[in-house]
Amino acid sequence: VTLHLNPISSVHIHQKPLVFLLNSPLPLVWRLKTERLAPGIQRVFFVSLGSVVQFEKGNFSLSAETEEKLFPEKNEHLLQWAQKKYGAVTSFTELKISRNIYIKVGE
């Protein structure tokens, strides 16, 4: 699955930390394609067991962390876990089948 990350239109370059929970019932390779995300900013990708994140060429991967995690089974529990751990969830998306996911990051 390719994850496309771009800032919202009102933000020229996104310069804030991000945390993603990438959950799947089967192990996946998550390919990241990014535009206009500032280098050197912490970005964390939690992936379900057996999954990996592949970064594009460049220095984005130097400031990104990937960690395998055993997530709660139900989406409601996953959302509660994320809210408890991080205090807020700004976006939640559930897809049955997809090759590309487009996410706008920003305020």
Side-chain angles (χ1 to χ4, degrees), residues 17-40:
L18 296 169
V19 176
F20 290 91
L21 308 178
L22 304 173
N23 190 21
S24 173
L26 299 173
L28 285 178
V29 174
W30 296 92
R31 292 178 183 86
L32 245 60
K33 296 213 179 261
T34 63
E35 289 182 30
R36 300 181 307 148
L37 299 185

Side-chain angles (χ1 to χ4, degrees), residues 65-99:
E65 299 175 38
T66 302
E67 182 180 326
E68 282 186 68
K69 192 98 178 140
L70 179 59
F71 290 119
E73 281 188 38
K74 295 188 176 186
N75 284 336
E76 304 84 44
H77 297 144
L78 177 60
L79 188 56
Q80 290 170 355
W81 176 84
Q83 287 172 325
K84 185 176 180 181
K85 183 163 178 68
Y86 294 101
V89 173
T90 57
S91 177
F92 183 90
T93 304
E94 177 184 8
L95 302 166
K96 298 292 181 193
I97 298 175
S98 183
R99 290 191 176 149

